[in-house]
Amino acid sequence: MDTALITVPQHVAIIMDGNGRWAKNQNKPRVFGHRQGVEAVRAIVEHCGRIGVEHLTVFAFSSENWSRPPAEVKLLMELLAKGLHDDLDRLHRNDVRLSILGDLSAFPKRLQQKLNSALELTKNNTGLHLNVAINYGGRWDITQAAKQLVTQVSAGELQEGDITEDSLSALMNTATTPDPDLLIRTGGESRISNFLLWQCAYAELYFTDIYWPDFDEAAIDAAFAWYVGRQRRYGKTGEQITQEA
Ligand code: IPE
Ligand code: IPE
Ligand code: MG
């Protein structure tokens, strides 16, 4: 597909699902799927940067994924640390600005430090903004934003009447990023799994059966092509939108 002809969404969010089943289909351990999943992330990040996506948010580890067998959790943490180590220079060279969504306090101090120095290194880059969601949960994000509001009101810094959707949004982990235009979930499930609950209020939802390790440039271009055909009405009528255009 000629990507020059595709209008790309400004913010794409992806629930990267299906690593385990991809591996199982080949009689391989789940680990194998996660490793291959990292390759898929690399290719998608490069492609998104190349074709002009401004913000890409990938769900790498949910707050619920701690419930997996300890060996799998450990492996996922190792892959995260290794990915950061192996890819940071290249991401920086490619002008990628890295952000993290999620509660980092649960991670080992060393990993936290590495993540923070990666954020620092890339903070002035002007290319693709890559948000990696780790130990992230949509309900956690809303809750921590609400707690901050309560603190501000208790301290007299904010009046209850000043609380708006925008003031809550500004305290979410995604504060500086516009809401996703397109949410993609691979792996055949049609659910949000506690991802960007607040932020996806008006996202276009795209579900594909493709397992994450097989999700390639052609697959994301197909999602973009589908997205271009959506009419985003935000509560208005189709006729109003056509007239405005
Ligand atoms: C997604 O693939 C990766 C993570 C959630 C970390 P899964 O590991 O969920 O793969 P399936 O859904 O079991 O196939
Ligand atoms: C969602 O996938 C989380 C990530 C992709 C990181 P899961 O595989 O954890 O979701 P459920 O458990 O099937 O809903
Ligand atoms: Mg899964």
Side-chain angles (χ1 to χ4, degrees):
M1 197 177 299
D2 183 355
T3 44
L5 298 174
I6 297 176
T7 314
V8 295
Q10 187 186 18
H11 182 182
V12 181
I14 310 183
I15 302 174
M16 310 183 291
D17 195 24
N19 292 351
R21 283 164 288 160
W22 182 87
K24 197 175 173 204
N25 276 351
Q26 301 170 55
N27 292 316
K28 298 259 173 57
R30 294 178 58 83
V31 182
F32 188 70
H34 292 315
R35 290 220 173 86
Q36 204 54 42
V38 175
E39 301 297 328
V41 181
R42 268 190 199 119
I44 292 299
V45 168
E46 277 190 18
H47 185 59
C48 284
R50 213 167 30 234
I51 66 175
V53 170
E54 284 177 47
H55 311 271
L56 173 66
T57 301
V58 292
F59 204 8
F61 191 85
S62 76
S63 43
E64 289 72 31
N65 287 146
W66 295 108
S67 311
R68 293 191 176 198
E72 179 163 343
V73 171
K74 183 164 178 279
L75 182 274
L76 288 168
M77 291 302 132
E78 284 165 8
L79 281 179
L80 179 69
K82 187 175 173 346
L84 194 66
H85 178 268
D86 293 350
D87 286 41
L88 184 58
D89 283 348
R90 189 154 38 92
L91 289 171
H92 188 41
R93 270 200 312 278
N94 288 340
D95 209 17
V96 171
R97 177 165 65 90
L98 202 61
S99 298
I100 305 287
L101 307 179
D103 183 2
L104 287 191
S105 67
F107 295 107
K109 279 275 165 319
R110 238 181 97 69
L111 182 56
Q112 288 186 40
Q113 281 162 0
K114 280 189 176 168
L115 288 166
N116 284 324
S117 53
L119 302 185
E120 186 59 29
L121 176 73
T122 63
K123 72 177 182 196
N124 294 322
N125 289 346
T126 55
L128 176 73
H129 174 212
L130 174 63
N131 256 325
V132 183
I134 42 176
N135 191 23
Y136 180 84
R139 289 179 172 179
W140 165 81
D141 201 2
I142 296 167
T143 308
Q144 66 78 29
K147 280 186 184 162
Q148 290 189 62
L149 280 182
V150 171
T151 307
Q152 291 178 4
V153 172
S154 310
E157 294 162 9
L158 189 77
Q159 302 301 307
E160 188 190 327
D162 296 334
I163 297 176
T164 60
E165 293 182 8
D166 285 345
S167 62
L168 193 65
S169 289
L171 296 170
M172 309 279 287
N173 272 218
T174 45
T176 57
T177 310
D179 286 343
D181 300 294
L182 172 65
L183 173 70
I184 297 171
R185 182 175 184 137
T186 64
E189 310 297 350
S190 308
R191 57 178 173 252
I192 305 279
S193 298
N194 198 19
F195 195 26
L196 300 161
L197 299 179
W198 171 272
Q199 297 86 342
C200 281
Y202 265 104
E204 301 295 328
L205 309 182
Y206 181 86
F207 299 102
T208 169
D209 288 338
I210 300 173
Y211 290 137
W212 176 251
D214 286 333
F215 194 76
D216 58 10
E217 291 182 13
I220 200 164
D221 285 348
F224 293 156
W226 172 87
Y227 170 81
V228 169
R230 302 299 97 206
Q231 185 186 52
R232 305 188 73 191
R233 292 192 282 273
Y234 297 99
K236 295 182 181 176
T237 67
E239 289 73 18
Q240 283 176 294
I241 301 297
T242 315
Q243 270 165 21
E244 284 168 14

